[in-house]
Structure formats: C-alpha cells, structure tokens
Amino acid sequence: VMVGPDPYAEGQLSGAPRGLCPVVPSRLPRLARFAAAGLTTTAFYFVLVNVLILVAAAAPLPASATAYVTSLGLSYALQSRYTFRARSDTASQILRFLVTALAGLAGSSGAMLFATEVLHWPAYIGAGASCLVIPILSYFVFMSWVFVEEHRSPTDNAPTEASENRE
C-alpha cells in the first residue's frame, strides 16, 4: 500500500526513464513473486525430468516434454494466483497463458538454433540469452495481456490501470 502519490507513476522523478515508470518501485513485490513462481516451476521441472529419466527410465526428449507440459499447470497456478492475484480462471485467460508459454518455448528454441547453427556459438550462450529474454518478455505479456487488470484482486499492490496510463 502506497502512502501519498507515487513519483514514479507520475513520472516526477528526474532521471527516471519513462519506460521503467510502470515497473519501479511499485511493482517490485509483484516482480519478486513472478521470480519466485518461475524459480519454483523451474525446480519442479528439473526434479520431474530427472525422476522420469533416472527412475522411470524414460528417454530424455519425452521426459522433458512431459515435465514441461506438467510444469505448465504449476506455472499457471502460481502466476495467476500468487503473482498476479487473479480472482478466477477464464478459458480466455488460460488460452492466453498457454499461447504465451508456447511462444516462449518457440522463442527459446529459436534463440538456441540461431546461436548454435547460424552464429556457431556455444549452446550456453543461446541458453543464457533465453533465460534472460524469455522471462522478461513473459512478465510484460502476463501483466498486460494474460492477467489483465479486471482479473486482479484489490489486494494486489500494483497501481490501477488508470494510474499506469497517466502521462
């Protein structure tokens, strides 16, 4: 809960880049929740894929695909309820989430192919680029398209849509 006007939302701070005003500082708690949800989902995926490979003797590709699809359910639950405080699920919200997640998977795969096949860079550079870019883009897409304002709980500490659109 903010006390008094938020100088970042009003764009009153000198030197504060206008593009960062919607993120800093009033959205830092949500950004921290987004990171925690992402790390939790990643850890879940990592454990599950290894259990499938090492315990269930699954081949790596099917194990990875199974773990990824399973982790999407956990990711949606955490992002919708914990990060963005959505009060309910709608078919369109779930569809937007899946589109975003699959676009992230395609972007990650594309970045890896571009880094390794076109630029002939080591795979860790493509993986690193994906680990930086995909979560950042996902956060903004989740915030502006998937979990839009009318689906958020009043207890979320983010500014209202009206305050975000002030110029």
mmCIF file of all heavy atoms in Angstrom, residues 104-131:
data_model
loop_
_atom_site.group_PDB
_atom_site.id
_atom_site.type_symbol
_atom_site.label_atom_id
_atom_site.label_comp_id
_atom_site.label_asym_id
_atom_site.label_seq_id
_atom_site.Cartn_x
_atom_site.Cartn_y
_atom_site.Cartn_z
ATOM 1 N N GLY A 104 6.995 -18.581 -25.744
ATOM 2 C CA GLY A 104 8.270 -18.587 -25.031
ATOM 3 C C GLY A 104 9.105 -19.804 -25.375
ATOM 4 O O GLY A 104 10.317 -19.714 -25.581
ATOM 5 N N LEU A 105 8.451 -20.953 -25.466
ATOM 6 C CA LEU A 105 9.154 -22.184 -25.857
ATOM 7 C C LEU A 105 9.696 -22.057 -27.279
ATOM 8 O O LEU A 105 10.853 -22.400 -27.543
ATOM 9 C CB LEU A 105 8.217 -23.384 -25.749
ATOM 10 C CG LEU A 105 8.786 -24.732 -26.167
ATOM 11 C CD1 LEU A 105 9.984 -25.124 -25.303
ATOM 12 C CD2 LEU A 105 7.708 -25.805 -26.115
ATOM 13 N N ALA A 106 8.890 -21.529 -28.191
ATOM 14 C CA ALA A 106 9.335 -21.342 -29.575
ATOM 15 C C ALA A 106 10.479 -20.329 -29.642
ATOM 16 O O ALA A 106 11.470 -20.543 -30.350
ATOM 17 C CB ALA A 106 8.169 -20.883 -30.450
ATOM 18 N N GLY A 107 10.361 -19.245 -28.887
ATOM 19 C CA GLY A 107 11.426 -18.238 -28.866
ATOM 20 C C GLY A 107 12.716 -18.782 -28.302
ATOM 21 O O GLY A 107 13.809 -18.509 -28.815
ATOM 22 N N SER A 108 12.599 -19.565 -27.259
ATOM 23 C CA SER A 108 13.775 -20.183 -26.654
ATOM 24 C C SER A 108 14.446 -21.147 -27.622
ATOM 25 O O SER A 108 15.675 -21.151 -27.778
ATOM 26 C CB SER A 108 13.351 -20.914 -25.376
ATOM 27 O OG SER A 108 14.438 -21.546 -24.784
ATOM 28 N N SER A 109 13.639 -21.953 -28.281
ATOM 29 C CA SER A 109 14.179 -22.897 -29.270
ATOM 30 C C SER A 109 14.815 -22.146 -30.439
ATOM 31 O O SER A 109 15.896 -22.513 -30.917
ATOM 32 C CB SER A 109 13.073 -23.818 -29.796
ATOM 33 O OG SER A 109 12.523 -24.558 -28.739
ATOM 34 N N GLY A 110 14.153 -21.101 -30.885
ATOM 35 C CA GLY A 110 14.689 -20.290 -31.978
ATOM 36 C C GLY A 110 16.001 -19.628 -31.608
ATOM 37 O O GLY A 110 16.939 -19.573 -32.415
ATOM 38 N N ALA A 111 16.069 -19.111 -30.386
ATOM 39 C CA ALA A 111 17.320 -18.482 -29.934
ATOM 40 C C ALA A 111 18.451 -19.494 -29.880
ATOM 41 O O ALA A 111 19.591 -19.197 -30.265
ATOM 42 C CB ALA A 111 17.121 -17.847 -28.557
ATOM 43 N N MET A 112 18.142 -20.704 -29.436
ATOM 44 C CA MET A 112 19.172 -21.748 -29.363
ATOM 45 C C MET A 112 19.637 -22.139 -30.768
ATOM 46 O O MET A 112 20.850 -22.239 -31.023
ATOM 47 C CB MET A 112 18.625 -22.976 -28.627
ATOM 48 C CG MET A 112 19.644 -24.080 -28.477
ATOM 49 S SD MET A 112 21.100 -23.602 -27.517
ATOM 50 C CE MET A 112 20.433 -23.683 -25.875
ATOM 51 N N LEU A 113 18.702 -22.325 -31.671
ATOM 52 C CA LEU A 113 19.072 -22.665 -33.052
ATOM 53 C C LEU A 113 19.891 -21.546 -33.695
ATOM 54 O O LEU A 113 20.897 -21.806 -34.359
ATOM 55 C CB LEU A 113 17.831 -22.949 -33.895
ATOM 56 C CG LEU A 113 17.199 -24.316 -33.704
ATOM 57 C CD1 LEU A 113 15.873 -24.398 -34.451
ATOM 58 C CD2 LEU A 113 18.138 -25.403 -34.161
ATOM 59 N N PHE A 114 19.471 -20.308 -33.506
ATOM 60 C CA PHE A 114 20.187 -19.177 -34.086
ATOM 61 C C PHE A 114 21.607 -19.084 -33.520
ATOM 62 O O PHE A 114 22.570 -18.913 -34.266
ATOM 63 C CB PHE A 114 19.417 -17.877 -33.828
ATOM 64 C CG PHE A 114 20.029 -16.679 -34.493
ATOM 65 C CD1 PHE A 114 19.906 -16.501 -35.865
ATOM 66 C CD2 PHE A 114 20.737 -15.747 -33.759
ATOM 67 C CE1 PHE A 114 20.472 -15.404 -36.490
ATOM 68 C CE2 PHE A 114 21.307 -14.644 -34.374
ATOM 69 C CZ PHE A 114 21.183 -14.460 -35.747
ATOM 70 N N ALA A 115 21.719 -19.223 -32.193
ATOM 71 C CA ALA A 115 23.035 -19.113 -31.554
ATOM 72 C C ALA A 115 23.976 -20.235 -32.001
ATOM 73 O O ALA A 115 25.144 -19.988 -32.309
ATOM 74 C CB ALA A 115 22.900 -19.124 -30.035
ATOM 75 N N THR A 116 23.452 -21.453 -32.057
ATOM 76 C CA THR A 116 24.330 -22.593 -32.341
ATOM 77 C C THR A 116 24.507 -22.881 -33.828
ATOM 78 O O THR A 116 25.613 -23.194 -34.262
ATOM 79 C CB THR A 116 23.815 -23.866 -31.642
ATOM 80 O OG1 THR A 116 22.490 -24.147 -32.086
ATOM 81 C CG2 THR A 116 23.850 -23.713 -30.124
ATOM 82 N N GLU A 117 23.446 -22.768 -34.604
ATOM 83 C CA GLU A 117 23.516 -23.147 -36.013
ATOM 84 C C GLU A 117 23.919 -22.000 -36.935
ATOM 85 O O GLU A 117 24.625 -22.222 -37.914
ATOM 86 C CB GLU A 117 22.174 -23.733 -36.464
ATOM 87 C CG GLU A 117 21.755 -24.971 -35.694
ATOM 88 C CD GLU A 117 22.726 -26.127 -35.856
ATOM 89 O OE1 GLU A 117 23.248 -26.334 -36.982
ATOM 90 O OE2 GLU A 117 22.979 -26.818 -34.845
ATOM 91 N N VAL A 118 23.466 -20.794 -36.645
ATOM 92 C CA VAL A 118 23.762 -19.653 -37.515
ATOM 93 C C VAL A 118 25.054 -18.960 -37.081
ATOM 94 O O VAL A 118 25.948 -18.717 -37.887
ATOM 95 C CB VAL A 118 22.581 -18.656 -37.549
ATOM 96 C CG1 VAL A 118 22.933 -17.419 -38.357
ATOM 97 C CG2 VAL A 118 21.331 -19.336 -38.105
ATOM 98 N N LEU A 119 25.121 -18.643 -35.792
ATOM 99 C CA LEU A 119 26.288 -17.915 -35.291
ATOM 100 C C LEU A 119 27.437 -18.829 -34.855
ATOM 101 O O LEU A 119 28.543 -18.353 -34.608
ATOM 102 C CB LEU A 119 25.874 -17.014 -34.118
ATOM 103 C CG LEU A 119 24.819 -15.957 -34.452
ATOM 104 C CD1 LEU A 119 24.419 -15.199 -33.195
ATOM 105 C CD2 LEU A 119 25.320 -15.004 -35.522
ATOM 106 N N HIS A 120 27.154 -20.133 -34.726
ATOM 107 C CA HIS A 120 28.147 -21.133 -34.309
ATOM 108 C C HIS A 120 28.741 -20.801 -32.939
ATOM 109 O O HIS A 120 29.924 -20.998 -32.697
ATOM 110 C CB HIS A 120 29.249 -21.301 -35.371
ATOM 111 C CG HIS A 120 28.694 -21.654 -36.705
ATOM 112 N ND1 HIS A 120 28.146 -22.882 -36.983
ATOM 113 C CD2 HIS A 120 28.561 -20.912 -37.843
ATOM 114 C CE1 HIS A 120 27.728 -22.899 -38.232
ATOM 115 N NE2 HIS A 120 27.949 -21.724 -38.781
ATOM 116 N N TRP A 121 27.874 -20.298 -32.061
ATOM 117 C CA TRP A 121 28.276 -20.015 -30.685
ATOM 118 C C TRP A 121 28.004 -21.241 -29.831
ATOM 119 O O TRP A 121 27.218 -22.113 -30.199
ATOM 120 C CB TRP A 121 27.484 -18.838 -30.139
ATOM 121 C CG TRP A 121 27.855 -17.505 -30.719
ATOM 122 C CD1 TRP A 121 28.916 -17.211 -31.524
ATOM 123 C CD2 TRP A 121 27.156 -16.284 -30.540
ATOM 124 N NE1 TRP A 121 28.922 -15.882 -31.846
ATOM 125 C CE2 TRP A 121 27.852 -15.282 -31.257
ATOM 126 C CE3 TRP A 121 26.012 -15.921 -29.846
ATOM 127 C CZ2 TRP A 121 27.435 -13.962 -31.275
ATOM 128 C CZ3 TRP A 121 25.594 -14.608 -29.872
ATOM 129 C CH2 TRP A 121 26.313 -13.634 -30.577
ATOM 130 N N PRO A 122 28.618 -21.317 -28.673
ATOM 131 C CA PRO A 122 28.325 -22.436 -27.757
ATOM 132 C C PRO A 122 26.860 -22.398 -27.300
ATOM 133 O O PRO A 122 26.253 -21.323 -27.205
ATOM 134 C CB PRO A 122 29.256 -22.193 -26.565
ATOM 135 C CG PRO A 122 30.273 -21.209 -27.023
ATOM 136 C CD PRO A 122 29.662 -20.436 -28.162
ATOM 137 N N ALA A 123 26.320 -23.555 -26.998
ATOM 138 C CA ALA A 123 24.910 -23.663 -26.598
ATOM 139 C C ALA A 123 24.604 -22.854 -25.342
ATOM 140 O O ALA A 123 23.498 -22.330 -25.198
ATOM 141 C CB ALA A 123 24.545 -25.126 -26.385
ATOM 142 N N TYR A 124 25.569 -22.722 -24.449
ATOM 143 C CA TYR A 124 25.280 -21.995 -23.208
ATOM 144 C C TYR A 124 24.968 -20.517 -23.472
ATOM 145 O O TYR A 124 24.263 -19.884 -22.679
ATOM 146 C CB TYR A 124 26.407 -22.139 -22.186
ATOM 147 C CG TYR A 124 27.714 -21.480 -22.543
ATOM 148 C CD1 TYR A 124 27.938 -20.133 -22.257
ATOM 149 C CD2 TYR A 124 28.735 -22.213 -23.146
ATOM 150 C CE1 TYR A 124 29.135 -19.535 -22.581
ATOM 151 C CE2 TYR A 124 29.938 -21.617 -23.467
ATOM 152 C CZ TYR A 124 30.134 -20.276 -23.181
ATOM 153 O OH TYR A 124 31.325 -19.679 -23.499
ATOM 154 N N ILE A 125 25.434 -19.969 -24.573
ATOM 155 C CA ILE A 125 25.097 -18.574 -24.894
ATOM 156 C C ILE A 125 23.634 -18.475 -25.319
ATOM 157 O O ILE A 125 22.909 -17.578 -24.887
ATOM 158 C CB ILE A 125 26.053 -18.002 -25.959
ATOM 159 C CG1 ILE A 125 27.462 -17.899 -25.376
ATOM 160 C CG2 ILE A 125 25.551 -16.649 -26.468
ATOM 161 C CD1 ILE A 125 28.508 -17.418 -26.337
ATOM 162 N N GLY A 126 23.188 -19.405 -26.157
ATOM 163 C CA GLY A 126 21.773 -19.430 -26.535
ATOM 164 C C GLY A 126 20.876 -19.672 -25.334
ATOM 165 O O GLY A 126 19.835 -19.030 -25.178
ATOM 166 N N ALA A 127 21.301 -20.580 -24.465
ATOM 167 C CA ALA A 127 20.519 -20.855 -23.252
ATOM 168 C C ALA A 127 20.495 -19.635 -22.343
ATOM 169 O O ALA A 127 19.446 -19.275 -21.791
ATOM 170 C CB ALA A 127 21.099 -22.055 -22.515
ATOM 171 N N GLY A 128 21.623 -18.990 -22.194
ATOM 172 C CA GLY A 128 21.692 -17.797 -21.350
ATOM 173 C C GLY A 128 20.821 -16.673 -21.877
ATOM 174 O O GLY A 128 20.119 -15.999 -21.113
ATOM 175 N N ALA A 129 20.853 -16.467 -23.191
ATOM 176 C CA ALA A 129 20.013 -15.428 -23.796
ATOM 177 C C ALA A 129 18.539 -15.733 -23.558
ATOM 178 O O ALA A 129 17.759 -14.836 -23.212
ATOM 179 C CB ALA A 129 20.307 -15.323 -25.291
ATOM 180 N N SER A 130 18.164 -16.986 -23.708
ATOM 181 C CA SER A 130 16.776 -17.381 -23.471
ATOM 182 C C SER A 130 16.384 -17.167 -22.011
ATOM 183 O O SER A 130 15.283 -16.695 -21.723
ATOM 184 C CB SER A 130 16.563 -18.852 -23.839
ATOM 185 O OG SER A 130 16.694 -19.018 -25.217
ATOM 186 N N CYS A 131 17.286 -17.517 -21.111
ATOM 187 C CA CYS A 131 16.995 -17.364 -19.678
ATOM 188 C C CYS A 131 16.842 -15.905 -19.271
ATOM 189 O O CYS A 131 16.179 -15.596 -18.283
ATOM 190 C CB CYS A 131 18.087 -18.023 -18.838
ATOM 191 S SG CYS A 131 18.030 -19.811 -18.906
#
